[in-house]
Amino acid sequence: MIRGISGLLKVFGGVVLLVGLFSACHTTKFVPENERLLSRVEIKDDARDVSRDDLKSYLRQQENLRIIGFWKLYLGIYNLSGKDTSKGINRWLRNIGEEPVIFDSTLVDRSVEQMGLFMRNRGYYLSQVKDTTWYPAQKKARVAYHIVSGPRYRLNDVFYRIEDKGLENLVLNDTTNSVLRSGRGFTSELHNQERDRITDLLKDNGYYNFSKAYVYFLADSTIGRHRINDTLVIMRPPENVPGRAANGNHAQYTIRNVYFQVDMDPQDISFSETEEGLSADTLMYDGVYILYDKALEFKPDVLTNSNYIVPGDLYQASLVERTQSLLSGLRIFKYINIRFRDVDGQVDEEGRFLLDCVIQVLPGKYQSYSVEVEGTNSSGNLGAAGNFKYQHKNIFRGAELFTLNTRLARQNQFVIRGGDGEQFNTVEMGADASVVFPKFFMPFRIEKFRQRYNPKTTIAVAYNYQRRPDYTRTIANARLGYTWRSSRYSSHSLYPLDFNLVNIPTVSSAFWEYIERNPFLRYTYEDHLIANLNYSYIYNQQQLGGGARDFWFFRFTAESAGNTLDLLAPLWNSGQETDYSTILGIRYAQYFKTDIDLRYHNAIGRFHSITYRFFGGIGIPYGNLNVLPFEKRYFSGGANSIRAWPVRAIGPGTFKDESATFYNQTADIKLEMNVEYRFPLFWLLEGALFVDAGNIWGLREDVSPEGGLFEWDTFYKQLAVGTGFGTRLDFNYFIFRIDTGLKLHDPSAIAGEKWIPFNRKYSWEDVAFNFAIGYPF
């Protein structure tokens, strides 16, 4: 196996070297005679608030793509092809490669023009853009753009001219939210933002037919001192257009009726003012009409609880979007369309026009299943796992999401101890089932909470069985929790009831003798009960299909266990002689635990990105059990952690147990930092370079192994550091990942060999291969 991996690495290294040398020495192989390769484009800009990335998007011709800042990989792959395009290998190399960019002086002129326009739109009306072209070699050209920004124009005063006096109070009372403020740098984008803001404001106050085309600006830059007076103008609607009232102003609209159309062709429906006039099976429920052709497969309150468009209310665009979002969040509809029909010639008591709302929903497939297979190879230890997942999205006809997961995993571990090899197997199997209800189960009703926060209640149970050579352990779990969203990016979860029962039916005699000498290990492998309350907050700016963009991810969790049980313990522990309390003979844990996970994804251009991650966590045991339960302790290493080490193979601190037969290091504190540079290679293949650092430590000296205690003056010297290279196959629906980690700093090594480079030779124990699905973070 090792020979095979070594051979693959050598072949891969040879291909990389060949492409690198060929791309460096033959970049102009396919450049025609009397033409030049655009080898380099530079932008020099003196404006502090204008980035080079902003200006790059206005270049009409850019050089071939660079990997890691200097390597033109795709051009090198293209140049590996021959000139005979009838051969398949040549066509394949050209398809995955990138043909040379031929210098075009006319595109330089257009780039100068476009960047100048961009600078003026940013308020730099006196800016100058100049270009310089030179030829470093016979068939190469380089271009540099120099931007002298000059002074930036700023807003002086903002005036309003509102032709429709019915809008005047509404608009002027909301000027505190305006993006147009005196002293702010002037850009055309400010006009776009203010136009959108005004339009959203009016559409949220009944002006259904209002559009941003009715808003324009008059900017006066003649007042001097590089200042601009800006006037916002709102027009009245022209004659004979929808949304014009009798007095010539913009018309407000009120919702007359709301119709839910379920699994029907809209052409088959004719509407009337009365329920009897509807040409379909109709149910009047909670003030709205529900039209359907066959029997409803879900309860009617599934629709009404997700609806924020109410008959008799003013039209509000934000509530239409909210309704769309809530219906989509139910995950039982494959198609949702909300449209409005102007009721011609009819007005309400206040003279507002009337709208009928039609919400068309098409139910999707309620049931699905998936099968996943994972493989790992860490320091020669092979493992495989299989997962089966079943979902029913309407299990009780109320859009409840039922999920059943089953998992079976096995790993063969080979440990060299005392010069002899020892091989053993570990087996893990389990299942968990959950039901997510699209509402809060509470003894009291919270009005409008469903519409505002999209709450959910989760009831779940799980069972896990682990068999190792030294022990067998089972974990049973039951929990009840609530989740809700407070904003576009923020979500919360609160689990007031979360029970874990850990039972260890068998422990080998040799292993028990070993752990008896270590209080930490002894407590870890005893039966115990965990009853905790936990809360988590997530802020996530990432958007699916959002393209190349920067985003932040932050997660905070906190949990407390055992306090309620400790208050009630005297009720059932009277006369007990032990120095700790039990429930039904099982000791329960008390602890407080909290951690944070912070990530930042920095998009570099369209295809490249750097992702940073920091994780920090601490668990503090107290009271009835003076160590954290095993399943609540931190560990490090593996495919989503420090990838140069196997799972649970790092720490605590500098500790290393030479006598252990398997990796099982855990502790109370964890710190971890990761940096990963991601870039495309070819076809579906992506590449990554990464550096990982971190470790785990104990809090209490009496239950921490030697060298495993956290100390402020030494912990930073005990960070495990690894680096490596990864490849990922992006199949859109999922990403298959292979990461090769290489140790740099091993805190458990002897003095003088902790930093491995230049101190000792590398061995296969210093390399780890990780196979996984999805990005590591």
Side-chain angles (χ1 to χ4, degrees):
M1 177 68 180
I2 291 177
R3 289 181 180 178
I5 293 173
S6 178
L8 287 174
L9 288 175
K10 289 180 180 179
V11 170
F12 179 75
V15 171
V16 170
L17 181 61
L18 176 62
V19 174
L21 291 175
F22 204 86
S23 61
C25 301
H26 297 81
T27 55
T28 59
K29 176 181 177 181
F30 288 102
V31 176
E33 290 295 328
N34 301 321
E35 299 286 358
R36 295 180 184 272
L37 173 73
L38 182 59
S39 62
R40 191 74 171 181
V41 175
E42 301 176 28
I43 298 177
K44 298 180 180 180
D45 167 33
D46 64 357
R48 294 181 179 180
D49 58 346
V50 177
S51 70
R52 294 181 183 178
D53 288 337
D54 291 336
L55 291 164
K56 277 184 179 179
S57 61
Y58 292 91
L59 289 175
R60 290 300 167 257
Q61 188 176 43
Q62 299 191 40
E63 61 187 284
N64 290 97
L65 185 63
R66 295 175 181 268
I67 300 295
I68 325 177
F70 66 91
W71 184 20
K72 295 187 177 182
L73 171 65
Y74 304 103
L75 176 60
I77 293 174
Y78 188 94
N79 288 336
L80 285 175
S81 68
K83 296 185 177 181
D84 186 358
T85 56
S86 64
K87 294 182 179 181
I89 183 63
N90 292 334
R91 293 197 304 271
W92 181 74
L93 289 170
R94 292 192 178 196
N95 285 336
I96 64 175
E98 182 184 33
E99 63 179 316
V101 176
I102 306 302
F103 171 71
D104 187 340
S105 60
T106 61
L107 295 180
V108 173
D109 295 336
R110 289 184 59 190
S111 298
V112 169
E113 179 183 347
Q114 291 297 313
M115 284 191 285
L117 179 61
F118 168 75
M119 293 297 293
R120 288 190 291 276
N121 286 336
R122 291 295 296 265
Y124 292 98
Y125 291 107
L126 303 179
S127 63
Q128 293 182 336
V129 182
K130 299 179 181 179
D131 65 277
T132 303
T133 304
W134 70 100
Y135 310 104
Q138 182 179 0
K139 301 184 72 174
K140 294 183 179 181
R142 301 182 68 168
V143 181
Y145 298 93
H146 303 268
I147 293 94
V148 180
S149 60
R152 186 178 188 184
Y153 280 71
R154 298 186 176 276
L155 284 174
N156 185 52
D157 286 321
V158 180
F159 304 96
Y160 293 85
R161 195 176 81 198
I162 303 173
E163 298 176 357
D164 183 344
K165 298 306 177 183
L167 306 180
E168 195 167 50
N169 288 337
L170 184 62
V171 173
L172 295 181
N173 288 338
D174 196 56
T175 54
T176 55
N177 295 318
S178 174
V179 300
L180 301 177
R181 297 187 182 94
S182 179
R184 191 168 187 178
F186 178 82
T187 70
S188 60
E189 182 60 27
L190 290 181
H191 283 172
N192 294 331
Q193 294 176 15
E194 184 69 1
R195 186 180 288 113
D196 290 339
R197 190 190 69 82
I198 293 291
T199 303
D200 292 341
L201 171 67
L202 295 178
K203 278 184 169 289
D204 255 1
N205 283 273
Y207 294 93
Y208 168 70
N209 277 313
F210 190 88
S211 73
K212 58 185 178 182
Y214 294 121
V215 182
Y216 69 93
F217 298 86
L218 299 174
D220 181 9
S221 61
T222 63
I223 62 175
R225 298 179 295 111
H226 307 115
R227 293 278 176 163
I228 291 178
N229 282 341
D230 212 4
T231 301
L232 184 150
V233 182
I234 300 180
M235 301 165 50
R236 300 174 76 187
E239 296 183 6
N240 302 321
V241 298
R244 180 183 170 93
N247 60 2
N249 290 336
H250 292 277
Q252 277 186 299
Y253 286 81
T254 300
I255 304 299
R256 185 184 70 163
N257 293 318
V258 177
Y259 302 90
F260 276 97
Q261 181 184 306
V262 182
D263 200 14
M264 300 185 68
D265 188 334
Q267 302 301 323
D268 295 339
I269 304 297
S270 61
F271 295 96
S272 178
E273 294 187 30
T274 63
E275 179 181 343
E276 292 75 13
L278 296 170
S279 59
D281 292 333
T282 305
L283 172 66
M284 184 69 173
Y285 188 88
D286 203 12
V288 303
Y289 295 99
I290 301 176
L291 288 67
Y292 56 94
D293 191 15
K294 302 176 183 177
L296 282 176
E297 297 178 340
F298 45 81
K299 300 173 185 177
D301 62 357
V302 170
L303 300 174
T304 56
N305 287 341
S306 299
N307 177 45
Y308 221 178
I309 306 170
V310 180
D313 287 356
L314 279 177
Y315 167 83
Q316 297 183 61
S318 62
L319 300 187
V320 176
E321 294 177 4
R322 188 64 179 158
T323 300
Q324 177 92 27
S325 175
L326 289 171
L327 290 171
S328 299
L330 295 174
R331 301 174 62 183
I332 63 172
F333 302 118
K334 64 181 179 182
Y335 176 78
I336 302 167
N337 181 41
I338 302 178
R339 56 192 175 90
F340 292 87
R341 185 171 65 93
D342 193 341
V343 184
D344 294 332
Q346 296 191 32
V347 296
D348 64 7
E349 295 177 354
E350 298 184 14
R352 300 189 184 102
F353 288 9
L354 295 177
L355 286 174
D356 280 343
C357 175
V358 181
I359 305 175
Q360 184 185 9
V361 294
L362 296 179
K365 293 182 178 180
Y366 297 138
Q367 302 184 67
S368 64
Y369 71 90
S370 63
V371 179
E372 296 180 357
V373 178
E374 302 174 9
T376 60
N377 182 340
S378 298
S379 299
N381 298 321
L382 298 177
N387 297 275
F388 174 79
K389 181 178 181 179
Y390 167 78
Q391 281 193 332
H392 195 303
K393 300 177 182 179
N394 193 33
I395 188 72
F396 301 126
R397 297 183 63 245
E400 304 90 352
L401 175 62
F402 171 76
T403 303
L404 173 66
N405 276 306
T406 61
R407 175 180 172 84
L408 175 62
R410 177 187 174 111
Q411 186 176 39
N412 294 330
Q413 292 193 354
F414 186 81
V415 177
I416 298 177
R417 184 170 51 181
D420 298 325
E422 181 179 352
Q423 185 171 357
F424 57 86
N425 299 323
T426 64
V427 175
E428 179 180 349
M429 63 182 68
D432 62 85
S434 66
V435 181
V436 180
F437 299 85
K439 56 186 176 181
F440 271 5
F441 281 162
M442 285 187 170
F444 50 89
R445 183 184 178 97
I446 305 176
E447 295 294 335
K448 300 294 184 180
F449 198 86
R450 161 66 183 159
Q451 289 90 341
R452 297 182 96 183
Y453 300 111
N454 193 16
K456 292 179 172 60
T457 300
T458 300
I459 300 176
V461 294
Y463 181 81
N464 181 265
Y465 170 87
Q466 302 170 3
R467 190 195 71 197
R468 287 175 171 264
D470 295 325
Y471 67 87
T472 299
R473 171 168 47 206
T474 64
I475 303 174
N477 171 263
R479 61 189 186 275
L480 166 68
Y482 308 101
T483 59
W484 68 97
R485 301 190 68 87
S486 59
S487 70
R488 178 183 180 185
Y489 300 125
S490 297
S491 60
H492 309 257
S493 68
L494 174 66
Y495 281 81
L497 300 176
D498 194 343
F499 292 93
N500 284 275
L501 177 61
V502 181
N503 177 250
I504 304 176
T506 61
V507 178
S508 68
S509 57
F511 185 62
W512 188 253
E513 290 179 5
Y514 170 71
I515 65 177
E516 278 275 28
R517 301 189 298 268
N518 189 322
F520 150 63
L521 289 176
R522 179 165 56 84
Y523 291 137
T524 299
Y525 292 95
E526 288 181 344
D527 296 349
H528 57 271
L529 173 68
I530 304 172
N532 69 40
L533 179 150
N534 59 76
Y535 165 80
S536 67
Y537 166 77
I538 294 177
Y539 179 83
N540 186 9
Q541 292 181 323
Q542 185 176 11
Q543 298 179 14
L544 294 177
R549 59 186 298 273
D550 298 347
F551 63 82
W552 286 92
F553 173 92
F554 173 73
R555 180 175 60 210
F556 166 78
T557 63
E559 64 178 274
S560 177
N563 297 324
T564 303
L565 295 179
D566 203 54
L567 290 174
L568 300 176
L571 298 178
W572 54 72
N573 280 328
S574 58
Q576 184 171 298
E577 298 180 357
T578 60
D579 57 354
Y580 57 86
S581 300
T582 63
I583 296 179
L584 300 177
I586 302 175
R587 192 173 184 176
Y588 59 85
Q590 278 186 279
Y591 64 86
F592 175 78
K593 180 182 177 184
T594 184
D595 49 56
I596 61 172
D597 186 351
L598 178 65
R599 309 173 193 179
Y600 176 61
H601 178 86
N602 179 213
I604 306 174
R606 183 179 177 185
F607 301 104
H608 300 246
S609 64
I610 299 179
T611 302
Y612 307 87
R613 175 177 178 258
F614 171 79
F615 180 92
I618 182 172
I620 305 173
Y622 59 90
N624 204 50
L625 187 62
N626 62 349
V627 296
L628 278 179
F630 177 81
E631 58 276 12
K632 296 297 181 179
R633 294 174 69 83
Y634 294 108
F635 61 89
S636 195
N640 298 318
S641 180
I642 303 176
R643 285 160 279 185
W645 277 263
V647 178
R648 302 179 186 272
I650 301 176
T654 61
F655 173 74
K656 184 176 184 180
D657 190 354
E658 299 288 353
S659 62
T661 57
F662 56 90
Y663 301 119
N664 205 22
Q665 286 96 300
T666 60
D668 308 312
I669 299 175
K670 178 178 178 179
L671 292 176
E672 198 164 286
M673 295 150 284
N674 313 84
V675 179
E676 182 169 281
Y677 171 55
R678 300 168 184 169
F679 53 89
L681 290 174
F682 53 84
W683 188 49
L684 302 176
L685 199 63
E686 298 178 358
L689 298 174
F690 57 83
V691 176
D692 305 320
N695 206 332
I696 56 175
W697 295 269
L699 268 179
R700 298 179 53 174
E701 188 173 2
D702 58 333
V703 291
S704 294
E706 184 179 356
L709 189 67
F710 180 87
E711 296 179 353
W712 286 103
D713 57 343
T714 59
F715 81 92
Y716 61 91
K717 301 177 183 178
Q718 300 171 355
L719 295 174
V721 182
T723 187
F725 175 82
T727 55
R728 292 86 193 273
L729 281 169
D730 188 352
F731 294 104
N732 291 328
Y733 295 102
F734 71 95
I735 292 175
F736 178 73
R737 172 166 56 96
I738 304 174
D739 286 336
T740 302
L742 184 69
K743 295 179 182 178
L744 294 179
H745 182 260
D746 185 354
S748 66
I750 63 175
E753 293 187 1
K754 293 183 181 293
W755 285 102
I756 300 175
F758 310 112
N759 288 318
R760 67 170 175 84
K761 293 182 178 180
Y762 274 95
S763 67
W764 281 105
E765 291 296 318
D766 302 318
V767 182
F769 298 91
N770 301 277
F771 306 88
I773 303 296
Y775 288 115
F777 43 82

